[in-house]
Amino acid sequence: MSLLTIENLTIGIPRGSAAPLAIVENASLWLQPGEMLGLIGESGSGKTMLCRSLIGTLRRRGAAILSGRITLAGTDLAHTDERAWRDIRGRRVGYVPQSALAGPNPVMTIGAQLREAILQGTPGADVPARARELLDLVQIRRPELVLAQYPHQLSGGMRQRVMIACAIAGTPELLVADEPTTGLDVTVQAGIMQLLRDIRARLGTAIILVSHDLALVDDVCDRILVMHAGACVEAVPAHAAPRHPYTIALNRSRIELAEPGTPLVTIAGQPPSVGAWPPGCRFAARCDIAQPDCRLGPHPPMRGEAHANACLHPERAA
Amino acid sequence: MAMPERSSPDVEQARSRLLKKVTARLARAAAVSFWVMVIAFGLIRLAPGDPVLARLGAEAAPEAIDRLRHALRLDVDPATQFVEYTWGMLHGRLGTSIETQRDVATIIAESLPVTLGIIAVTLAMALVVAVPLALAIATSRRPWVPYLFRATTSVMLAIPAFFTALVGLIVFGLHWQIAPIIGYEPGFPANLRFLWLPALVICTHLVPVLSRVLHASLVQTRGEEFVETGIIRGVSRLRFTWFYLLKPSLAPSIVLLSYMVGVMIGSTVIIETIFSLPGIGRSLVGAVINRDYPLVQGIVLVFGLFVVAVSLAGDLLANWLDPRVGAT
Ligand SMILES: Nc1ncnc2c1ncn2[C@@H]1O[C@H](COP(=O)(O)OP(=O)(O)OP(=O)(O)O)[C@@H](O)[C@H]1O
Ligand code: SF4
Ligand SMILES: [Mg+2]
């Protein structure tokens, strides 16, 4: 049985009497306990919005779940009220917000923030002991020093380790990490990725790892979910050959694949922006193999179990 | 935080850095005060007229004028006068008022508390109104609220303070008679009866400026990613408001406020005149009219020291609330 299932989830901004503005439409995914899922897509494709629906912070961004279901080990997360969220946040779902630099509260010491996270995750815990244990888990040496420091006194990598320590303070079943390595050096990035794998191995935490970087996600995750303009287009097992034209294009544009001397392959055009989605497949304007039927009806849903694909013409893709 | 904060080398280092900063600021304050002194000394002497003529009148006998000029040691060259003045200052002597023959320090000690009282009451009023107002508007979900706020504050800023003061006097002082229109009684809380209306008048400009700046910072903070972590950690409403909204937003407002308070000591002269309050601003006006050199110099020096002290206090407070401020 899967730990998390999202079915046909639509997230949007309610606009009074006008139709709501959809930001994520009919998203579906599932996640096994202890599984690591990579979530990728261009900027604005709705990754962060999807993550926020898992931690219950859509409302403060003016957004809401318009339809669909989210189930976390039997608990309905789509119809959870603020009270119930309090028992879920930190305890069942851990969250590392986007950007290492802006993640921690700049006016609180690391110790004070970790304390809040510990008290939320495990009420009544022995805070100093648990803080030390968590910092040890995220491989921070000299914990006394770090606890007394403010975020701006730490390097980006250290900040992200602290954020991860806060997120796993309540040993959640699911950890959502929104672009935990964007803006960090490549070597620091590798360290954070290794840390996430360690946490998964030691605590059995399922992880959703959001990234822009297909290669990185392909390396560390079990499966990859690809989003484009608010829709899920492909869920592909790691190291498997992609089948959706968008993923194929993303894969081609990977820098390390570029032959020396040949121009870097990029994906032509921009994804349609929120509020201006055309009918049919939203990738059609950028797709080499688009057919007339691609531009009709609703966005094609993903089909398939182990390797799901939303392309209507997978046999033509290469 | 229950965790022991052992003082590590880095924490020590941060402390010594702060100490160095404060020392540097104090040294700067001393330099600024010296220049303020030089300028006050020079400017009042550059102005046409002199204290002897102001006292004796233009038709006085030349011998009388010479005698007084000699008695006041105004017949020696300005450089010597300045050295003597500085020497006296170093020994804590601000000199004697030419006009009233009273000790300058005493005059300042009498009138400064009135002005500080106006500033303190104004500050308290402005904070009590502006902070909750900015918070309420920044957290409101109704889209028309910020528009109404901006429109109202613009209108308030467009009305000149002296006009508001006169209207306030007519309405509260003459019509409803809930504010005294003249006189003053020193000492807290008796002075509050005389200070609330002047403070309210200054607040009609201070509150719009302060609440706008704070509102802008709050709106920026509200959108930051770290605010999400406060929600996720389920912190109490009060804790959330302080640690996740206000505290990260206050620094710009405090720096602005310390600047405005510094300026206020000079600009209260209009308010003091309209409300007939015996503050230091009014003393300065009288001293300038009479070319009362020692008194003018003493008061201008106090202004300078006040501005320097308030800006130092503002910086330290901003730094304490938001450690990012001092880091760069
Ligand atoms: N309150 C809002 N009103 C209108 N549009 C919004 C609102 N909030 C978010 N959006 C839009 O929703 C889209 C999805 O945003 P989201 O932050 O989920 O993207 P993302 O995939 O996480 O991008 P990035 O990689 O840049 O983080 C964006 O185009 C954004 O402009
Ligand atoms: S559905 Fe059509 S337009 Fe969309 S990716 Fe497949 S072929 Fe291209
Ligand atoms: Mg994002």
Side-chain angles (χ1 to χ4, degrees):
Chain A
M1 202 198 120
S2 49
L3 172 74
L4 175 75
T5 354
I6 297 182
E7 289 163 90
N8 300 320
L9 183 71
T10 299
I11 301 170
I13 316 260
R15 289 185 297 186
S17 49
L21 177 72
I23 288 176
V24 172
E25 197 177 51
N26 284 328
S28 296
L29 70 86
W30 47 266
L31 194 65
Q32 300 291 351
E35 195 183 5
M36 203 158 164
L37 177 76
L39 182 58
I40 67 158
E42 279 156 297
S43 196
S45 54
K47 306 181 295 293
T48 299
M49 277 296 173
L50 189 61
C51 292
R52 285 184 181 137
S53 71
L54 296 172
I55 196 76
T57 54
L58 286 176
R59 211 170 70 97
R60 73 170 229 97
R61 301 282 175 179
I65 293 176
L66 301 176
S67 63
R69 297 204 302 201
I70 311 176
T71 319
L72 177 73
T75 313
D76 178 4
L77 294 189
H79 304 94
T80 307
D81 61 13
E82 239 350 83
R83 281 274 290 282
W85 268 120
R86 260 178 236 165
D87 295 333
I88 297 166
R89 291 174 183 146
R91 296 179 202 165
R92 303 190 55 195
V93 184
Y95 187 67
V96 179
Q98 185 162 347
S99 155
L101 302 171
N105 185 331
V107 298
M108 287 170 79
T109 60
I110 302 303
Q113 305 191 45
L114 201 50
R115 181 192 169 80
E116 280 183 355
I118 291 168
L119 290 177
Q120 159 67 10
T122 43
D126 174 2
V127 174
R130 182 77 177 128
R132 246 152 267 257
E133 196 182 336
L134 284 168
L135 290 186
D136 186 54
L137 201 63
V138 297
Q139 292 146 28
I140 287 182
R141 289 180 304 276
R142 302 213 290 162
E144 300 81 15
L145 170 62
V146 172
L147 286 173
Q149 277 179 319
Y150 285 94
H152 73 264
Q153 295 169 300
L154 301 179
S155 67
M158 286 282 271
R159 267 184 245 184
Q160 200 54 278
R161 280 172 196 273
V162 167
M163 290 313 288
I164 293 171
C166 288
I168 60 170
T171 8
E173 302 134 74
L174 172 65
L175 175 65
V176 180
D178 195 352
E179 302 194 27
T181 56
T182 301
L184 299 180
D185 284 351
V186 181
T187 47
V188 180
Q189 221 173 57
I192 299 285
M193 286 302 148
Q194 188 54 47
L195 174 63
L196 289 175
R197 279 159 83 149
D198 284 353
I199 286 169
R200 196 255 300 253
R202 284 173 68 172
L203 308 177
T205 319
I207 298 177
I208 294 181
L209 173 66
V210 179
S211 175
H212 280 199
D213 187 342
L214 180 59
L216 179 100
V217 163
D218 196 36
D219 253 7
V220 296
C221 294
D222 305 312
R223 270 187 314 130
I224 302 158
L225 179 67
V226 184
M227 289 186 74
H228 179 265
C232 296
V233 297
E234 186 172 13
V236 47
H239 315 303
R243 291 179 195 156
H244 191 280
Y246 177 55
T247 322
I248 293 172
L250 275 180
N251 203 28
R252 283 216 189 98
S253 63
R254 282 161 60 164
I255 293 169
E256 71 267 37
L257 292 182
E259 302 260 327
T262 60
L264 210 65
V265 188
T266 52
I267 307 178
Q270 296 280 318
S273 54
V274 164
W277 290 340
C281 176
R282 277 166 225 150
F283 189 61
R286 312 166 78 186
C287 182
D288 295 334
I289 57 161
Q291 304 296 308
D293 63 331
C294 294
R295 297 174 201 269
L296 302 173
H299 189 279
M302 285 202 298
R303 281 160 305 172
E305 269 298 309
H307 187 161
N309 184 2
C311 180
L312 295 171
H313 303 283
E315 70 294 338
R316 291 170 171 265
Chain B
M1 186 72 219
M3 284 174 222
E5 289 190 0
R6 246 175 265 163
S7 127
S8 62
D10 301 62
V11 176
E12 298 270 290
Q13 220 176 36
R15 257 184 221 137
S16 82
R17 222 178 308 142
L18 185 69
L19 196 71
K20 231 183 246 162
K21 217 171 94 180
V22 174
T23 329
R25 285 297 298 265
L26 286 177
R28 213 165 84 196
V32 169
S33 311
F34 177 76
W35 285 113
V36 167
M37 218 168 85
V38 173
I39 289 165
F41 188 92
L43 270 187
I44 190 65
R45 277 170 178 74
L46 283 180
D50 78 7
V52 175
L53 291 178
R55 270 193 84 186
L56 301 180
E59 289 93 47
E63 311 84 74
I65 289 177
D66 283 343
R67 219 179 307 125
L68 188 56
R69 195 162 269 158
H70 181 72
L72 295 173
R73 288 194 60 75
L74 292 175
D75 50 352
V76 298
D77 71 298
T80 315
Q81 283 181 44
F82 185 73
V83 170
E84 282 176 6
Y85 178 62
T86 315
W87 185 249
M89 191 92 78
L90 288 175
H91 293 79
R93 290 191 304 267
L94 286 179
T96 311
S97 159
I98 296 171
E99 180 68 16
T100 59
Q101 298 300 317
R102 296 175 66 213
D103 188 22
V104 168
T106 315
I107 297 176
I108 290 173
E110 276 170 13
S111 56
L112 183 61
V114 179
T115 304
L116 292 184
I118 300 174
I119 292 175
V121 175
T122 306
L123 203 55
M125 240 185 222
L127 287 174
V128 164
V129 178
V131 173
L133 182 70
L135 257 179
I137 289 156
T139 50
S140 161
R141 286 180 182 280
R142 282 173 250 274
W144 51 264
V145 168
Y147 290 105
L148 183 69
F149 171 61
R150 240 164 304 172
T152 314
T153 48
S154 297
V155 171
M156 285 173 79
L157 284 172
I159 301 172
F162 73 87
F163 177 73
T164 318
L166 290 174
V167 172
L169 263 183
I170 293 167
V171 173
F172 296 109
L174 295 176
H175 188 69
W176 286 342
Q177 309 207 330
I178 52 173
I181 51 169
I182 201 154
Y184 183 72
E185 207 176 314
F188 181 84
N191 58 356
L192 290 184
R193 205 162 69 84
F194 301 87
L195 297 182
W196 71 267
L197 188 55
L200 189 67
V201 169
I202 304 176
C203 276
T204 58
H205 278 185
L206 188 56
V207 166
V209 173
L210 186 59
S211 55
R212 268 192 183 193
V213 170
L214 184 57
H215 175 254
S217 312
L218 283 169
V219 166
Q220 204 199 338
T221 302
R222 201 183 54 182
E224 302 252 14
E225 291 281 341
F226 73 79
V227 179
E228 237 95 31
T229 59
I231 297 172
I232 291 164
R233 289 175 200 151
V235 297
S236 68
R237 209 189 154 81
L238 195 70
R239 231 185 127 75
F240 183 79
T241 307
W242 174 244
F243 283 108
Y244 289 84
L245 280 179
L246 263 182
K247 204 172 176 230
S249 314
L250 277 175
S253 304
I254 286 174
V255 172
L256 172 84
L257 200 60
S258 69
Y259 165 77
M260 292 192 64
V261 166
V263 172
M264 224 190 278
I265 194 171
S267 60
T268 47
V269 58
I270 300 166
I271 294 294
E272 286 170 4
T273 308
I274 296 175
F275 288 93
S276 331
L277 292 169
I280 199 164
R282 253 183 45 181
S283 303
L284 179 61
V285 172
V288 170
I289 289 170
N290 295 322
R291 304 288 186 275
D292 195 339
Y293 291 171
L295 190 54
V296 170
Q297 284 158 197
I299 292 176
V300 171
L301 183 65
V302 166
F303 281 16
L305 289 176
F306 182 79
V307 172
V308 168
V310 166
S311 102
L312 177 62
D315 279 6
L316 289 177
L317 185 61
N319 189 192
W320 176 70
L321 283 171
D322 192 336
R324 285 172 299 183
V325 174
T328 44

